[in-house]
Amino acid sequence: MPLAALRRAAKDSVSGLPRAFWWLWISTLVNRLGAFVATFMALYLTLDRGYSATYAGLVAALHGLGGVVSSLGAGVMTDRLGRRPTLLIAQTSTALSVALLGFMKDPLAIAAVAFLVGMASNASRPAVQAMMADIVRPEDRVRAFSLNYWAINLGFAISSTGAGFIAEFSYLAGFLIEAVMTLVCAIVVFVKLPESRPVRTAQEKAAEPDVGLGAVLRDGRFMGVVGLSFLVALIFQQGSVGLPVAMGEAGFTPADYGMAIAVNGVLIVALQIPVTRFIEHRDPQRLLVVSALLAGYGFGLTAFAGSIGVFALTVCVWTLAEIVNAPTQTGLVVRLSPLHGRGRYQGMYTLSWAVAALVAPLMSGFVIDRFGAEWLWGTCAVIGTVAAAGYWSLMRGLPAEGDGDGTVGVVPTPTVPAPDAVADRVPGVTG
């Protein structure tokens, strides 16, 4: 592709998005650049502290449980307190709890603080997604979610590499660096991001009651999406829980697994933006059906892998599914969410991934121990097929997209400048 065409494609990928989005994007990137603890936590507990692998697994489970607990609470906070206060509380709490975790010596104290870290770190997700939906125009949301997902993976790829070097020097340094960088994110939010929660008039409050968690649970179509999201997340989680175990039992080394799984991060960084440009205006029903099938059968093909090259090829298949699924499904959640209930809806959606992170290790361990790894990959193919059928059925008759807030033809009243205002563009880029 000529250089001029590459420049034009890059410009098209970032143009037209509001300035506030880019500050939120920078906050996400900085946060993920400092995400060291999740990478080396198991090594820290087993090698540095001398605890057993069972204890390390328990701490990881408690960290995940904290995320499950905070998902819904953070969604309620996002709607009641606002996006900005929730982000500030979540990021400041994360910084303090991560720093505290680095100084804990007692096993009970480590487990308790790890639970707090899981709660705090997961609490920012509903607020980030709701704020992004508030400040980005409906036609640009899939692209915005994709760029945010790209920042998450780029930051994590860099931090994962740096974590090894930092751990050789000092595990405590890793905890403190993550705490400082998370605190920097909180400062960015405080200084650069205005509150984006739509303002409701007295007439609107009288005509439309508050959206409670009960209303979310009664929203059949949305809860169906949450259930399907859980199934898809259950598949994707096997890349970090089932795949390394299966490769180890087949005689491959941790370095072999590292080479195979590295393909995931490389492809996401390289393809997320161009693939999103291709899919952003296409039918989300078909995209979600295809992504569910690619995920299920991508992992299903792992049953036939006998070399690092074939393992890497299967990673390519399900990574493509991940690239398509992530922005499309997040955009669908926003589309089905009422304007004044975005936080609660995003919290429920986040819960599906948090629960999957808890269930996936149990599922993979049980199936591999009882039946063998081939049955795990076959199960993934079945789950992917069920999810694809679910998306096909659930999204039939979905109303044409209006403003993406769960209604058609209703114009929100944001408290930040309109996303199409010239002053709110990215500096030096015109939409």
Side-chain angles (χ1 to χ4, degrees):
M1 181 181 290
L3 183 59
L6 284 173
R7 289 177 177 175
R8 185 166 57 252
K11 181 178 179 180
D12 291 342
S13 297
V14 301
S15 64
L17 296 171
R19 190 185 303 272
F21 165 79
W22 289 107
W23 284 116
L24 193 60
W25 185 89
I26 290 171
S27 174
T28 297
L29 180 61
V30 172
N31 199 334
R32 293 298 172 172
L33 284 172
F36 301 118
V37 173
T39 303
F40 62 61
M41 190 64 180
L43 293 176
Y44 166 71
L45 293 174
T46 55
L47 298 182
D48 189 66
R49 293 296 179 191
Y51 293 114
S52 66
T54 301
Y55 175 77
L58 173 63
V59 171
L62 287 172
H63 182 277
L65 181 61
V68 172
V69 171
S70 68
S71 295
L72 297 181
V76 174
M77 287 175 59
T78 298
D79 284 337
R80 288 189 176 179
L81 296 181
R83 286 59 160 143
R84 186 169 176 261
T86 302
L87 276 174
L88 285 170
I89 293 171
Q91 291 175 342
T92 303
S93 300
T94 300
L96 294 175
S97 58
V98 165
L100 181 63
L101 183 59
F103 292 98
M104 292 295 100
K105 308 295 183 183
D106 182 79
L108 289 178
I110 291 173
V113 177
F115 175 78
L116 294 178
V117 171
M119 285 187 63
S121 60
N122 199 60
S124 63
R125 294 180 183 178
V128 168
Q129 292 167 341
M131 179 175 277
M132 206 169 293
D134 294 337
I135 63 181
V136 176
R137 294 176 301 189
E139 61 269 26
D140 293 329
R141 283 181 184 145
V142 169
R143 181 159 54 98
F145 287 131
S146 178
L147 286 167
N148 190 65
Y149 191 68
W150 183 79
I152 289 171
N153 283 278
L154 176 63
F156 187 74
I158 296 174
S159 68
S160 297
T161 303
F165 294 102
I166 293 172
E168 288 185 3
F169 170 71
S170 168
Y171 283 103
L172 178 59
F175 285 99
L176 296 180
I177 291 172
E178 176 165 346
V180 169
M181 295 188 76
T182 306
L183 197 58
V184 169
C185 294
I187 294 172
V188 169
V189 168
F190 180 76
V191 174
K192 293 295 185 179
L193 287 174
E195 176 55 56
S196 67
R197 182 177 55 169
V199 176
R200 302 178 70 187
T201 65
Q203 292 83 356
E204 287 175 333
K205 290 181 180 180
E208 181 185 351
D210 290 336
V211 178
L213 287 176
V216 179
L217 293 171
R218 290 190 296 272
D219 188 335
R221 191 194 294 267
F222 175 75
M223 290 305 299
V225 170
V226 170
L228 295 173
S229 170
F230 167 76
L231 293 180
V232 172
L234 201 60
I235 298 173
F236 286 133
Q237 289 288 336
Q238 299 308 322
S240 58
V241 294
L243 185 59
V245 174
M247 289 185 69
E249 289 194 349
F252 293 92
T253 67
D256 294 332
Y257 166 72
M259 291 176 62
I261 201 63
V263 175
N264 175 254
V266 171
L267 285 182
I268 289 176
V269 172
L271 299 181
Q272 183 72 63
I273 294 176
V275 169
T276 300
R277 280 173 49 79
F278 176 76
I279 68 172
E280 65 178 324
H281 298 302
R282 299 181 183 272
D283 181 9
Q285 181 191 46
R286 293 182 180 179
L287 293 175
L288 290 172
V289 168
V290 169
S291 66
L293 291 174
L294 283 175
Y297 287 93
F299 276 99
L301 289 172
T302 310
F304 304 99
S307 67
I308 298 177
V310 179
F311 275 113
L313 182 61
T314 65
V315 172
C316 289
V317 176
W318 59 258
T319 296
L320 182 59
E322 186 178 357
I323 291 172
V324 173
N325 180 272
T328 306
Q329 186 159 254
T330 308
L332 176 63
V333 170
V334 174
R335 185 174 172 181
L336 295 176
S337 305
L339 180 61
H340 301 289
R342 279 179 179 155
R344 290 174 173 84
Y345 273 68
Q346 290 291 351
M348 186 64 72
Y349 171 62
T350 301
L351 179 66
S352 68
W353 283 83
V355 173
L358 276 180
V359 174
L362 302 176
M363 167 185 160
S364 61
F366 176 80
V367 175
I368 290 175
D369 287 343
R370 289 292 186 91
F371 307 105
E374 292 79 8
W375 280 87
L376 175 63
W377 310 130
T379 301
C380 287
V382 171
I383 294 174
T385 304
V386 171
Y391 280 122
W392 182 264
S393 174
L394 194 67
M395 295 183 65
R396 287 185 303 175
L398 187 68
E401 185 172 10
D403 64 352
D405 63 358
T407 59
V408 177
V410 179
V411 180
T413 307
T415 58
V416 294
D420 57 351
V422 174
D424 212 18
R425 300 285 190 188
V426 182
V429 179
T430 57

